[in-house]
Amino acid sequence: MDYKKYITTRCAMVEEQLSHLVPELSTPEKVLFQAARYSLLNGGKRLRPILALATAESLGGDLKKALTPACALEMIHTYSLIHDDLPCMDDDDYRRGKPSLHKAYPEGLAVLAGDFLLTHAFEVLTHSEQLTADQKLRLVQILSKQAGGLGMIGGQILDIESEGKKINLEQLRLIHHKKTGALITASIQFGGIMANASDREMHLLEQFGKEIGLAFQIIDDVLDVTASEKKHGKKVASDVTNNKSTYVTLLGLEQSEAMAHSLLNKAKDILKQFDHDVSLLQHLAEIIVTRNG
Ligand code: GRG
């Protein structure tokens, strides 16, 4: 399989569907939709939807049916970035090389655009005609748990509480598991639900998601230090200037990369337990760990 082509084609499908799900309006609410589209259609990697689609396709699910749930994941991801950039959070002026939403639009509108994308993710999930009622329920359960108070938002709170404090590796692992890993795990679980995976497969998918979710964040910490400002779309080493503990500040670059590779190996071992051909997932996991931007 041409993996590069797989990513490009799925990325284009996701972007087309996102544009359809959050359209340009001519009603009085149009500025809200415009602001949401500014962030949503602003050239992210689309990692989470691609992981969901790849998991669904690898396990025999239907690509078209999986598209809207995959987009719901990207809406949640985008809302988290919009809110994370706000002055009351990380106060980042740039995202993906462009002004953050609250810099391009009034701050209150940025808050509301984030709120809208969070709410809209659940609306599109429950309206998705091609899903069974059971699938919709399970997707809503997974997304609300992984993005919620003990998942992504919980991770953000732990992160805020840890600022300026010395934390150990175990505390940092927990923050990353929740803040970043939970939504990546949800993406993999979404693929399983769309493919009607067995309980055993769902369990394996969850374990796989946890390993690559953490590996993704460790590499993000590494790239924060090593990547150029242009490639990463934000100030280099912003974690360090923000006085945040990261894998790199706790372990150094070399050991952080080694840890990400060790997680990748664990993830690959989990994939070996599937009866289906899951080589696509293996390659995506490798890309996550070896990426340079
Ligand atoms: C609910 C306010 C709020 C925050 C939740 C997820 C999160 C916590 C904040 C987002 C900020 C952040 C740096 C999270 C770590 C995860 C991460 C590396 C996000 C960037 O994801 P990519 O690289 O982004 O997939 P693109 O731009 O490619 O979509």
Side-chain angles (χ1 to χ4, degrees):
M1 182 190 264
D2 182 343
Y3 297 106
K4 218 171 166 184
K5 192 168 163 210
Y6 178 88
I7 292 173
T8 315
T9 55
R10 296 310 179 268
C11 202
M13 290 173 84
V14 165
E15 290 186 354
E16 196 188 326
Q17 183 70 355
L18 283 172
S19 182
H20 171 72
L21 293 168
V22 183
E24 286 184 74
L25 291 186
S26 49
T27 63
E29 300 88 354
K30 68 180 174 195
V31 66
L32 179 69
F33 282 67
Q34 233 171 44
R37 285 171 63 89
Y38 175 89
S39 290
L40 195 60
L41 305 173
N42 183 16
K45 293 186 285 299
R46 313 306 185 192
L47 170 72
R48 294 148 193 84
I50 288 171
L51 283 173
L53 296 179
T55 307
E57 289 183 83
S58 298
L59 300 182
D62 182 89
L63 169 64
K64 285 215 175 91
K65 282 189 190 171
L67 201 52
T68 293
C71 288
L73 292 158
E74 189 68 12
M75 287 178 201
I76 297 284
H77 169 60
T78 305
Y79 118 74
S80 78
L81 298 180
I82 294 170
H83 282 189
D84 192 60
D85 287 340
L86 289 170
C88 61
M89 297 259 175
D90 262 10
D91 195 12
D92 267 322
D93 291 352
Y94 290 92
R95 170 68 56 186
R96 298 170 181 154
K98 275 178 63 179
S100 310
L101 188 58
H102 67 272
K103 286 284 162 188
Y105 287 82
E107 191 180 327
L109 186 54
V111 172
L112 290 173
D115 293 341
F116 164 52
L117 287 171
L118 162 60
T119 313
H120 202 51
F122 290 96
E123 183 175 349
V124 300
L125 269 188
T126 54
H127 281 198
S128 203
E129 278 168 22
Q130 290 160 316
L131 307 182
T132 66
D134 183 58
Q135 280 175 317
K136 288 181 195 175
L137 178 64
R138 293 182 73 187
L139 294 177
V140 167
Q141 283 173 333
I142 288 169
L143 193 55
S144 52
K145 181 176 172 198
Q146 299 285 30
L150 296 177
M152 182 181 79
I153 298 175
Q156 178 77 350
I157 282 292
L158 296 185
D159 194 21
I160 289 172
E161 302 258 288
S162 77
E163 258 170 57
K165 289 185 192 143
K166 232 179 146 44
I167 58 168
N168 62 31
L169 207 54
E170 187 48 38
Q171 290 166 314
L172 183 64
R173 194 188 63 84
L174 187 64
I175 292 171
H176 283 354
H177 253 315
K178 288 170 178 274
K179 186 176 158 179
T180 310
L183 195 58
I184 290 180
T185 305
S187 309
I188 305 282
Q189 291 174 304
F190 261 42
I193 297 291
M194 302 314 306
N196 292 312
S198 65
D199 289 349
R200 177 182 166 273
E201 288 170 328
M202 286 304 295
H203 177 72
L204 291 173
L205 290 174
E206 187 179 351
Q207 299 313 310
F208 173 72
K210 282 183 180 168
E211 304 297 348
I212 61 162
L214 188 55
F216 174 82
Q217 182 58 57
I218 294 175
I219 294 300
D220 199 72
D221 285 356
V222 168
L223 290 172
D224 190 64
V225 176
T226 58
S228 71
E229 184 168 351
K230 189 162 167 265
K231 258 191 180 158
H232 217 32
K234 64 174 178 177
K235 234 188 289 160
V236 175
S238 62
D239 294 333
V240 177
T241 37
N242 287 347
N243 197 20
K244 279 192 169 173
S245 292
T246 71
Y247 271 85
V248 179
T249 59
L250 291 188
L251 284 180
L253 275 175
E254 231 168 81
Q255 269 199 61
S256 299
E257 284 183 351
M259 182 166 281
H261 277 90
S262 148
L263 292 165
L264 171 62
N265 287 335
K266 279 193 201 161
K268 283 185 187 173
D269 283 343
I270 293 167
L271 291 180
K272 285 182 191 143
Q273 298 176 55
F274 280 88
D275 297 329
H276 291 84
D277 175 3
V278 287
S279 49
L280 171 60
L281 291 180
Q282 181 180 318
H283 277 88
L284 291 179
E286 281 166 3
I287 291 171
I288 283 173
V289 172
T290 55
R291 76 191 198 276
N292 58 12

